Amino acid sequence: MEDDCRPLLSSELPGESYSHRGSTDSLDFKAKRPFHVEPRNIVDDDPQERVSAEAAILNSRVHYYSRLTGSSDRLLSPPNHVIPRPEEIYIYSPLGTAFKVTGSDASSKNPSIITIFAIWNTMMGTSILSIPWGIKQAGFTLGILILIFTGLLMLYCCYIVLRSPKAIPYVDTSDWEFPDVCRYYFGKFGQWSSLVFSMVSLIGAMVVYWVLMSNFLYNTGQFIYNYANNVNMSNSEFGTNGSDRVICPYPNTDPGGNHTISTLYLGNSGNDTSDVSSFEHWWSKTNTIPLYLIILLLPLLCFRSASFFARFTFLGTISVVYLIALVTIKAVRLGFHLEFHWFDSTQFYVPEFRLLFPQLTGVLTLAFFIHNCIITLMKSNRHQENNVRDLSVAYLLVGLTYLYVGVLIFAAFPSPPLFKDCIEPNFLDNFPSNDVMVFVARTFLLFQMITVYPLLGYLVRVQMMGQIFGNHYPSFFHVLALNIIIVGAGVLMAKFYPNIGSIIRFSGATCGLALVFVFPSLVHMISLKRQGTLRWPAALFHSFLIVLGMANLLAQFFM
């Protein structure tokens, strides 16, 4: 009976694993060459159809001929033009019953619109909070040009990654990821280096999350305390007046400090200054909040499975949509404040072209980064022939979202009275903690990050422990040691250097060097050379991409 369960005419190479045989979900209709019986040979139309005598004879005949040759011999395989569509394929049992194939090739795959927004939702991360700051660092005009240019480059490199498995001949790459492609071309070095740079992007994201969670938890607690104790924020010289107040929290350009944003004065609640000082002592953005998060998040990182947290990924979409609405409302209320000074700074405005533009390119490298999981995302697309189109549309939507948020925040920032250089790496820091709409945004983002953070830790654990120990959960103490290292990095950065803009640009430029520019370009050139189609314009262009990635990383150290 075991032999009867094997595919009748298989194209698998000798020595290939039989783990997927008999699984309809992994049935490759052109490679497995299934035996087909025309509908007229099926007697009934029941869910479990009975096969006619003619169909049973044909089945037995092909079963017999398949034993005359090896499993990899394709002489008796039906040609391509007689293979039916997936919905017409049946698996036939020697008992005379037929089962319709209901694999993932059609019914469980997503239409293009779902695939496009899945890519958009995956790419929309914490980087969106730093886009206005990046545009300020590069200059308004140059920032817009760099955002468009970087998006196009990242799209092209992502396209190379997406088609790289298909360019490998004579090998089944249906379940390959990009690290497998790197291993094919570069051996163990390619596999391990791609893993290391992938870890840089994941751990960098976790560090940014810890800094932002400390920020959001601090401001959320500050809002609740002020509301409960009738503490009001007075106007200061570093903020605007009115209902939509904008502040400059670090007028001395010291993003690492934990200065008081504005002066507090007390209402008639009966509290005294010592109560406020005591609260600020135990509720500090850099000294205590990062330590409080350990109590909540370290146990969550030690969960064996992260499936529970995956149920809350929809919060990411809600948060981004709310951020877009928040930016729109603030821009309408504040109006636009723009003056164009091409190369020289003024009292309130930055020049249109600044030498700090590599800071924006570093942020955008991580903002458009999806290269390490694009192959997996595209496998669920129902129409594989539309992969390039859907990927391009997704990148267009992401680029438009970044442009919309970055341009509106930069343009609406009130200058005068504030200097445009006051735009923070997290633009929500330019709004006081008592702003209700911003409070809601911070609360949404806090809960979203609390649920996403264990997922990122799970991905780090699976990739690292799987490669080193061959087991995703070797022991509780192994996992605990890894999690302590990751959490410790987040706590140290949140305490001593809570600048998410710099963390994002360094991690983006580092992982982008390998997974965006170097490996995709080398893979593409090697593939073209083996096919005999590599020409000097293509070699020159892809070599330029490698140099561009190296320059992007090196420039971060001089900014």
Side-chain angles (χ1 to χ4, degrees), residues 21-298:
R21 293 190 174 191
S23 173
T24 61
D25 290 338
S26 61
L27 191 60
D28 185 346
F29 300 113
K30 290 189 176 181
K32 304 294 184 184
R33 322 294 290 185
F35 175 52
H36 173 63
V37 176
E38 297 179 1
R40 59 185 176 84
N41 291 324
I42 299 178
V43 178
D44 299 321
D45 194 24
D46 298 329
Q48 184 173 348
E49 293 94 343
R50 303 296 304 180
V51 182
S52 65
E54 180 181 357
I57 293 173
L58 289 173
N59 181 36
S60 299
R61 184 175 300 169
V62 174
H63 189 82
Y64 168 73
Y65 279 111
S66 67
R67 293 296 179 265
L68 298 180
T69 58
S71 61
S72 61
D73 195 334
R74 304 180 60 82
L75 292 177
L76 296 179
S77 299
N80 287 332
H81 67 275
V82 300
I83 296 179
R85 294 189 299 272
E87 61 270 15
E88 297 178 354
I89 294 179
Y90 293 80
I91 296 178
Y92 294 93
S93 164
L95 302 178
T97 55
F99 300 91
K100 199 174 189 64
V101 174
T102 58
S104 61
D105 197 74
S107 59
S108 63
K109 291 200 171 182
N110 299 322
S112 293
I113 187 67
I114 300 298
T115 302
I116 290 170
F117 278 99
I119 298 173
W120 175 84
N121 188 37
T122 304
M123 241 188 291
M124 283 287 114
T126 56
S127 301
I128 192 173
L129 299 175
S130 296
I131 297 297
W133 172 81
I135 292 179
K136 179 258 296 185
Q137 295 298 92
F140 184 64
T141 301
L142 183 60
I144 294 176
L145 296 177
I146 287 178
L147 196 151
I148 297 173
F149 177 72
T150 305
L152 292 175
L153 280 184
M154 297 288 286
L155 170 61
Y156 176 72
C157 294
C158 194
Y159 161 74
I160 294 177
V161 172
L162 180 61
R163 67 183 298 269
S164 60
K166 301 177 183 178
I168 300 177
Y170 313 118
V171 179
D172 181 15
T173 60
S174 57
D175 59 345
W176 280 26
E177 301 294 339
F178 191 61
D180 300 309
V181 177
C182 294
R183 180 182 57 188
Y184 174 83
Y185 284 104
F186 309 111
K188 285 290 185 179
F189 170 78
Q191 179 184 5
W192 281 98
S193 57
S194 63
L195 173 66
V196 168
F197 285 104
S198 180
M199 290 297 99
V200 169
S201 66
L202 289 173
I203 296 177
M206 295 183 73
V207 170
V208 171
Y209 269 43
W210 200 276
V211 175
L212 285 175
M213 285 186 293
S214 301
N215 182 306
F216 295 151
L217 182 59
Y218 168 79
N219 283 284
T220 301
Q222 188 77 51
F223 177 89
I224 296 174
Y225 178 83
N226 293 343
Y227 182 80
N229 293 275
N230 195 25
V231 177
N232 298 312
M233 307 290 289
S234 67
N235 297 330
S236 76
E237 58 181 316
F238 302 119
T240 60
N241 298 321
S243 58
D244 290 282
R245 191 160 180 265
V246 180
I247 62 175
C248 186
Y250 306 116
N252 295 324
T253 65
D254 180 17
N258 187 33
H259 309 294
T260 302
I261 292 176
S262 58
T263 305
L264 299 178
Y265 73 92
L266 303 178
N268 298 323
S269 59
N271 295 332
D272 53 24
T273 307
S274 62
D275 295 332
V276 178
S277 301
S278 176
F279 173 77
E280 291 179 346
H281 174 74
W282 294 104
W283 197 256
S284 170
K285 186 189 300 184
T286 57
N287 294 327
T288 59
I289 299 297
L291 299 177
Y292 296 158
L293 288 173
I294 299 177
I295 303 173
L296 173 64
L297 293 173
L298 185 58

Side-chain angles (χ1 to χ4, degrees), residues 267-467:
N268 298 323
S269 59
N271 295 332
D272 53 24
T273 307
S274 62
D275 295 332
V276 178
S277 301
S278 176
F279 173 77
E280 291 179 346
H281 174 74
W282 294 104
W283 197 256
S284 170
K285 186 189 300 184
T286 57
N287 294 327
T288 59
I289 299 297
L291 299 177
Y292 296 158
L293 288 173
I294 299 177
I295 303 173
L296 173 64
L297 293 173
L298 185 58
L300 298 181
L301 285 176
C302 296
F303 280 20
R304 183 178 295 269
S305 173
S307 59
F308 172 76
F309 304 102
R311 302 174 184 176
F312 298 95
T313 53
F314 69 93
L315 290 175
T317 304
I318 297 176
S319 301
V320 173
V321 171
Y322 183 82
L323 271 180
I324 295 174
L326 171 67
V327 168
T328 304
I329 294 174
K330 291 294 184 182
V332 170
R333 292 179 177 177
L334 293 171
F336 285 175
H337 305 267
L338 289 174
E339 282 186 12
F340 295 93
H341 303 272
W342 297 107
F343 300 104
D344 298 323
S345 298
T346 62
Q347 183 180 1
F348 299 109
Y349 297 94
V350 296
E352 300 300 305
F353 297 90
R354 303 182 74 183
L355 295 179
L356 297 176
F357 69 88
Q359 296 187 355
L360 176 59
T361 61
V363 170
L364 291 176
T365 306
L366 191 63
F368 285 109
F369 182 74
I370 199 175
H371 301 61
N372 58 346
C373 62
I374 188 60
I375 297 177
T376 301
L377 287 174
M378 281 303 187
K379 283 179 182 177
S380 62
N381 196 7
R382 182 177 300 170
H383 301 286
Q384 292 292 305
E385 67 276 7
N386 296 332
N387 277 352
V388 177
R389 182 201 68 184
D390 296 344
L391 179 65
S392 303
V393 173
Y395 261 85
L396 175 63
L397 292 179
V398 171
L400 290 177
T401 305
Y402 288 152
L403 270 177
Y404 186 82
V405 172
V407 168
L408 283 189
I409 289 294
F410 183 90
F413 193 81
S415 298
L418 300 181
F419 183 34
K420 289 286 187 184
D421 213 28
C422 285
I423 297 177
E424 289 296 305
N426 171 13
F427 75 82
L428 293 180
D429 285 344
N430 288 115
F431 299 96
S433 59
N434 63 345
D435 190 309
V436 177
M437 290 189 64
V438 178
F439 164 76
V440 174
R442 287 169 173 149
T443 306
F444 263 126
L445 289 169
L446 177 61
F447 280 104
Q448 177 216 350
M449 291 180 180
I450 289 176
T451 58
V452 172
Y453 189 84
L455 287 175
L456 295 176
Y458 176 78
L459 292 176
V460 172
R461 183 214 313 167
V462 166
Q463 295 188 34
M464 187 172 293
M465 296 296 185
Q467 289 292 331

